[in-house]
Amino acid sequence: MEISLAPLRPADAPAIVEAEDALTVRWLSGGESTVEGTAAYIDRLARDAEAGRAKRAFGIWAEGCCVGTIDYDPEVADGLDAGDVNIAYGVAPWMRGRGVAVRAVELICAVIRERGIGTRAVIRADARNPASARVAEKAGFVHLRDVESTEETREDGSPVVLKIFGRPVDPESAASS
Ligand SMILES: CC(C)(COP(=O)(O)OP(=O)(O)OC[C@H]1O[C@@H](n2cnc3c(N)ncnc32)[C@H](O)[C@@H]1OP(=O)(O)O)[C@@H](O)C(=O)NCCC(=O)NCCS
């Protein structure tokens, strides 16, 4: 199955809403989405990018359909170091378990590298989300540390624990340094 990434467009909003389930809400979007709200979010991302923000979001495409999203954002700081580029993703429930997320992470790492952004790609997996941690490991990321989030809390008010996984943006320069 061929997987590709394309910059998110407002026209992708219905597919993104269709691809959302309880796990996507819990671990990625933080709330149930509507088509109007998602299109407005994509418009806002484009305006933010024009204004100089660095976050970029892509649709994950397979078999002619948008089956998920993935983004990179070097401005995410919670739990991270300078030079880290955070990656976050979600895949439609009916496409899970087929390597789609791992391939999408590999593709976005290539984009980050080509664009010369940051020094290390990172994935922050909530310690209660083993599927996300598995995606990071399968995409060649190394578990760096666990940190308590300074921004997110659990239902009982305690800080969310983030498992931080990293992979050099340019593996060749990392190997030679
Ligand atoms: C996490 C997510 C993106 C994975 O997408 P996917 O396309 O199924 O991922 P892949 O098929 O590339 O790899 C998934 C791996 O996780 C494993 N996995 C899935 N559920 C798991 C679980 N509950 N515990 C441990 N491993 C799990 C799969 O078995 C697979 O590993 P394997 O190939 O060694 O068997 C998808 O589950 C999702 O959209 N979840 C909701 C959003 C989310 O959690 N996003 C992460 C925020 S950074």
Side-chain angles (χ1 to χ4, degrees), residues 78-95:
D78 185 22
L80 300 182
D81 299 329
D84 285 346
V85 185
N86 188 65
I87 297 172
Y89 37 78
V91 169
W94 59 89
M95 291 298 282

Side-chain angles (χ1 to χ4, degrees), residues 23-24 27-28 87-91 95-102 124 129-132 134-135 138:
L23 289 176
T24 326
W27 302 124
L28 188 66
I87 297 172
Y89 37 78
V91 169
M95 291 298 282
R96 289 182 191 155
R98 296 167 64 184
V100 173
V102 170
R124 302 175 311 155
N129 186 1
S132 185
R134 185 79 188 116
V135 169
K138 287 184 71 186

